[in-house]
């Protein structure tokens, strides 16, 4: 995996000290870049999505994309790696209740350079559990031509910052 970094503004708190209170509605962050090799595409597809458009270069050349493309699940895995590495808290992430939408509007091809853009749509305290909050985001993976190759609307539960008692 390529070592990635923030491509602009980043959180004040690193993932190891990030809590619900650090996620602000309206904030946008970008991280990248991940280079996608044909060997990465073939390896993932052979293991998890062995369709001819992902594993058979001869077939793919004559297919609708005129060449090998990454599985959408491979693209989602790249996004998840960036999301977990840069956006999610490593101390307060409490899982995800789900995803509202997942789209692959353009294919990922060998040689693409991908980056992730995350916009916080909503950050609100939980109505039933005061120790956490719900963070809704719009996550996009973009290629080197600024074309969106993945768009997803996940929700994440994040623990609130612990309070120091007796201070």
């Amino acid at each position: 995996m390529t070592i990635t970094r923030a491509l602009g503004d980043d959180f004040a708190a690193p993932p190891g000290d990030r809590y619900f209170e650090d996620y602000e509605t309206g904030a946008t962050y970008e991280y990248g870049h991940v280079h996608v090799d044909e060997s990465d595409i073939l390896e993932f597809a052979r293991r998890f999505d062995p369709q001819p458009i992902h594993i058979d270069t001869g077939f793919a050349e004559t297919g609708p994309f005129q060449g090998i493309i990454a599985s959408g699940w491979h693209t989602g895995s790249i996004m998840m790696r960036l999301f977990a590495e840069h956006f999610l808290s490593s101390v307060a992430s409490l899982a995800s209740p789900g995803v509202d939408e997942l789209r692959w509007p353009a294919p990922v091809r060998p040689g693409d350079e991908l980056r992730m853009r995350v916009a916080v749509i909503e950050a609100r305290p939980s109505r039933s559990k005061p120790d956490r909050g719900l963070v809704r985001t719009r996550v996009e993976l973009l290629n080197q031509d600024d074309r969106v190759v993945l768009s997803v609307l996940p929700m994440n539960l994040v623990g609130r910052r612990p309070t120091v008692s007796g201070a």
Side-chain angles (χ1 to χ4, degrees), residues 41-164:
I41 291 171
L42 294 171
E43 180 183 341
F44 183 95
R46 284 183 184 126
R47 186 154 183 219
F48 299 108
D49 192 356
Q51 298 181 70
I53 59 173
H54 304 313
I55 63 169
D56 183 336
T57 53
F59 177 90
E61 287 296 327
T62 63
F65 299 102
Q66 285 144 22
I68 288 283
I69 62 168
S71 164
W73 300 113
H74 184 185
T75 305
S77 296
I78 292 168
M79 181 282 302
M80 191 64 218
R81 175 63 187 253
L82 289 167
F83 196 64
E85 192 170 280
H86 295 289
F87 187 78
L88 292 177
S89 166
S90 61
V91 293
S93 181
L94 300 172
S96 171
V99 171
D100 287 332
E101 179 180 296
L102 173 61
R103 300 280 184 260
W104 295 288
V108 171
R109 299 177 179 282
D112 278 357
E113 295 284 332
L114 304 178
R115 74 180 193 281
M116 178 183 69
R117 180 170 49 214
V118 183
V120 179
I121 298 170
E122 176 187 26
R124 66 166 174 78
S126 170
R127 293 181 183 104
S128 60
K129 297 182 178 168
D131 67 331
R132 65 194 66 180
L134 178 71
V135 178
R136 292 180 187 268
T137 54
R138 170 176 275 96
V139 182
E140 296 174 315
L141 212 54
L142 300 98
N143 69 14
Q144 66 281 352
D145 299 321
D146 290 330
R147 216 163 157 203
V148 175
V149 297
L150 176 142
S151 175
V152 62
L153 300 173
M155 299 171 274
N156 294 91
L157 297 172
V158 183
R160 304 212 46 186
R161 189 173 308 284
T163 57
V164 178

